[in-house]
Amino acid sequence: MLHGDAVEVLERWRAPDAEQEELRAHYLRHLVTHPDGMCRSCRPEHVTSSALVVDGAGKNTLLTLHKTVGRWLQLGGHCEPGDTTLSGAALREATEESGLSGLMVSREPLQLSRHLLEAGGCAGAYHLDVQFLVTAAANTEYVVSEESHDLAWFPLNELPPDTDASVQDLASRARRHLARN
């Protein structure tokens, strides 16, 4: 079910540029050749789902200072056996990692990001991350989970200086998306 949803989402999604289109095609090839391509045990790469959480005004984003990576990142991670949709996995991860309730997830991804994991249980594997926009309701009081050293709200256009380039790109895409809608 989740595998089929991932294929459907990626087939339907219109990539905003050539680099994202190349990643979209790569993800689809991966899923066609790996029936287990959504599972963290799939090597050398597997599909993950993440969420760029923004406040209701669309001005700030909630980032996690990830315990394993040691950098500010968007929320998200591995798909779980109970997940039925990619967007649902992103929403579940955002809720679990932030403690926020009433989150709303976009139907379509904002961005795809393929990155090598250098630490933790998936070290040496690539995450084929499908990244969604998630909007917080009025309540923005978060709870730091076991996966984080910290959580904090940052202006979308003023992320911490050491923020990964893929997170900066994701925030930039979110700003453009929110300005259009």
Side-chain angles (χ1 to χ4, degrees), residues 62 64 66 74-78 92-100 142-148 151:
L62 184 65
T64 176
H66 198 277
Q74 78 278 9
L75 306 176
H78 292 103
R92 176 189 51 74
E93 286 282 341
T95 302
E96 288 175 359
E97 293 180 14
S98 72
L100 295 173
Y142 55 80
V143 176
V144 178
S145 77
E146 293 179 6
E147 295 182 34
S148 301
L151 289 173

Side-chain angles (χ1 to χ4, degrees), residues 109-130:
L110 268 180
Q111 174 175 283
L112 306 179
S113 174
R114 180 180 185 265
H115 48 271
L116 178 64
L117 277 288
E118 297 177 6
C122 286
Y126 283 90
H127 277 182
L128 304 179
D129 199 31
V130 182

Side-chain angles (χ1 to χ4, degrees), residues 24-78:
R24 187 186 78 84
H26 178 83
Y27 285 29
L28 285 167
R29 283 191 304 273
H30 171 76
L31 289 169
V32 165
T33 58
H34 294 87
D36 65 339
M38 304 297 299
C39 302
R40 73 176 74 206
S41 59
C42 185
R43 297 291 191 271
E45 52 193 4
H46 50 269
V47 175
T48 58
S49 188
S50 67
L52 185 72
V53 177
V54 297
D55 63 9
K59 301 294 183 197
N60 300 295
T61 184
L62 184 65
L63 299 181
T64 176
L65 183 55
H66 198 277
K67 272 188 180 175
T68 304
V69 179
R71 297 181 82 177
W72 291 101
L73 302 173
Q74 78 278 9
L75 306 176
H78 292 103

Side-chain angles (χ1 to χ4, degrees), residues 157-180:
N157 60 350
E158 294 178 37
L159 302 181
D162 66 338
T163 303
D164 186 79
S166 69
V167 179
Q168 292 177 23
D169 290 346
L170 183 59
S172 177
R173 285 186 199 278
R175 283 194 314 271
R176 290 191 303 270
H177 173 82
L178 291 165
R180 287 190 308 265

